[in-house]
Amino acid sequence: MLKYFFIVYAFVALAILGIFGIPGSKFERPPFRLFPDMDEQDKVKGQQPSDFFADGKGSRLPAPGTVPNSGDNGEFSVDFGAGRTGYFYTGITEGYYGTGMPTELELTPEAAEAFLARGEDRYGIFCAICHGASGDGQGTVSKLGLAGVRNLHETGEAGFDPANYPDGKMFEVITHGKGQMGAYGMNIPVEDRWAIIAYVRAMQEAREVSKEDLAQKGEGQ
Ligand code: HEC
């Protein structure tokens, strides 16, 4: 019995020595890491040089033409409505969603056609991919499987009622997104959002919105 104890004892002692080494001795080779835990990474740390870039700097400046997407610093962010209030910038007037084109757009019968064309163009770029070219909710992304994309013509889906849907609410949905729909406030300038809304309305009315009609909406905010 004692014999086995000594054999096991010797093995354990050898194993401990094997794992921890002889006390006081120093390792020459780097330790073997079974779980590296991302200690070493192919990344540049702040303010460190890097020979990856021609100028040798690890920290990069923003690419030329970068647009600040927050704050009220400069003309660009005003176009996007950052930090602004009022119907034109928020779709909200006196605490409620408003309806009608804001007077700031200065829509005249002459300008209306170009405005709608702009809306059609922007709708085609930003919205049709999901909502479909005709607004029926059957865009490419819906066909690929995104469920719940709103048919902009139909009442009923999740309480959506195009006939009782303030323009200001659509403005807010474009700006901040809703559910699976992302926010476009950083990508679409305020004026273009209104142009898109005007175009969606034109589609919804399923008729050519006459120039006079659109101008009237402009006044009747
Ligand atoms: C990535 C796909 C996608 C894109 C792009 C997109 N939408 Fe949507 N949209 C959705 C989905 C999904 C919903 C349903 C949101 C919900 O209620 O969950 C929706 C809902 C809406 C609604 C109804 C919101 C409500 O209150 O029920 C409107 C209006 C709308 N979108 C307009 C637009 C306009 C205008 C654009 C272009 C600027 C646009 N959408 C771009 C996916 C998209």
Side-chain angles (χ1 to χ4, degrees), residues 126-127 129-131 146 148-150 152 160 165 169-170 173-174 178-181 184 188 196:
F126 292 107
C127 319
I129 184 82
C130 288
H131 289 283
L146 177 63
V149 175
R150 205 69 76 238
L152 298 174
F160 177 74
Y165 197 84
K169 192 170 177 187
M170 199 181 312
V173 168
I174 299 174
K178 187 180 183 212
Q180 295 274 62
M181 176 177 154
Y184 287 85
I188 308 175
I196 289 172

Side-chain angles (χ1 to χ4, degrees), residues 60-146:
R60 312 305 302 165
L61 290 169
T66 302
V67 176
N69 68 4
S70 60
D72 194 7
N73 44 2
E75 221 175 293
F76 222 100
S77 72
V78 174
D79 285 351
F80 287 80
R84 296 290 160 133
T85 53
Y87 182 57
F88 177 61
Y89 288 110
T90 61
I92 292 167
T93 173
E94 291 167 19
Y96 294 94
Y97 293 121
T99 269
M101 291 291 122
T103 44
E104 283 88 340
L105 293 168
E106 294 173 0
L107 281 179
T108 57
E110 296 77 46
E113 199 176 328
F115 187 67
L116 267 183
R118 175 76 180 167
E120 179 176 13
D121 180 58
R122 298 292 108 177
Y123 179 90
I125 291 171
F126 292 107
C127 319
I129 184 82
C130 288
H131 289 283
S134 68
D136 62 359
Q138 295 301 309
T140 310
V141 174
S142 319
K143 286 183 185 149
L144 288 175
L146 177 63

